[in-house]
Amino acid sequence: MLFDFATLDANNRYKLLVSTIVPRPIAWVVTLDPEGRRNAAPYSFFNAFSGDPPVVCIGIGGRGTGDIKDTGNNIRTSGEFVVNLVAAENAEQMNITAIEFGREVDELTEAGLTTLPSVKVKPPRIKESPVALECERFTTLEIGHERALVLGRVLAMHIRDDAVLDAQKCYIDTPKLDLIGRMHGRGWYARTSDRFEMPRINETDWTRRGG
């Protein structure tokens, strides 16, 4: 079935994208506004895009023309943010922070979350999250009146102690993080507990197998 995006409205294009590009990791972003008020919100248009320099990207949409939500505006102003990853045990609290509260509401308080100070940036990190990435804005790409891609350079990362296998070699027990991903529709998510291993094939082995 062909879907020609030139003939579809924005809502239907969005439905096709989020129904098929799954699962998507969730960036649970904490920022500070110019008055120092905290803001937290989850975004599933998110991933890592470079290791050197270490860069992550978040797609942020707005509530109205010229707006890219509190998160986007705060990052524009301060140039700093923290990406916290979401474990299964954090799912309900993450969902609370997705409520479109007014700018005066602290989502972290509403969700019963606690924070810890960051090392490289001013916004705090979420204590309950197993992984936190302290970031500074690398660049912001405006892709519409109320859409932007925020690229952030990762300055530091915090990983829960019991998930670190070897700190010197940077070996992490990824399954122990028990992270979740965004799926289709308004309320569907996926756990990362269902996995399979498939080692990469080098050319010599492929030739030997008669490939």
Side-chain angles (χ1 to χ4, degrees), residues 198-210:
M198 184 167 56
R200 191 167 180 173
I201 305 169
N202 62 46
E203 184 179 3
T204 301
D205 289 341
W206 179 247
T207 302
R208 185 180 299 121
R209 287 163 51 177

Side-chain angles (χ1 to χ4, degrees), residues 80-103:
E80 297 181 340
F81 59 99
V82 177
V83 172
N84 304 271
L85 301 185
V86 183
E89 64 181 3
N90 312 138
E92 290 189 10
Q93 292 168 301
M94 176 274 298
N95 198 36
I96 293 170
T97 65
I99 297 172
E100 292 193 355
F101 293 114
R103 287 183 172 85

Side-chain angles (χ1 to χ4, degrees), residues 3 5 16 29 56-57 62 81 93 100 130 136 145 177 181 207 209:
F3 294 92
F5 273 35
L16 289 173
V29 184
V56 296
C57 181
F81 59 99
Q93 292 168 301
E100 292 193 355
E136 66 177 5
H145 291 298
L177 298 173
T207 302
R209 287 163 51 177

Side-chain angles (χ1 to χ4, degrees), residues 169-187:
K169 295 182 179 180
C170 296
Y171 288 169
I172 305 301
D173 186 346
T174 302
K176 199 161 193 175
L177 298 173
D178 197 22
L179 300 176
I180 62 172
R182 193 74 167 86
M183 291 291 288
H184 60 291
R186 291 185 176 271

Side-chain angles (χ1 to χ4, degrees), residues 28-32 36-39 81-84 108 114-119 121-127 132-134:
W28 205 3
V29 184
V30 176
T31 57
L32 295 176
R37 291 175 297 193
R38 305 181 305 183
N39 177 269
F81 59 99
V82 177
V83 172
N84 304 271
L108 295 164
T114 51
T115 60
L116 293 171
S118 297
V119 175
V121 297
K122 291 181 180 178
R125 54 195 173 95
I126 297 174
K127 180 180 179 181
L133 293 74
E134 298 186 23

Side-chain angles (χ1 to χ4, degrees), residues 30-40 70-71 73-75 77-78 80 102-105 122-124:
V30 176
T31 57
L32 295 176
D33 72 8
E35 286 72 45
R37 291 175 297 193
R38 305 181 305 183
N39 177 269
D70 297 340
T71 298
N73 290 325
N74 291 346
I75 293 172
T77 302
S78 70
E80 297 181 340
R103 287 183 172 85
E104 73 283 356
V105 176
K122 291 181 180 178

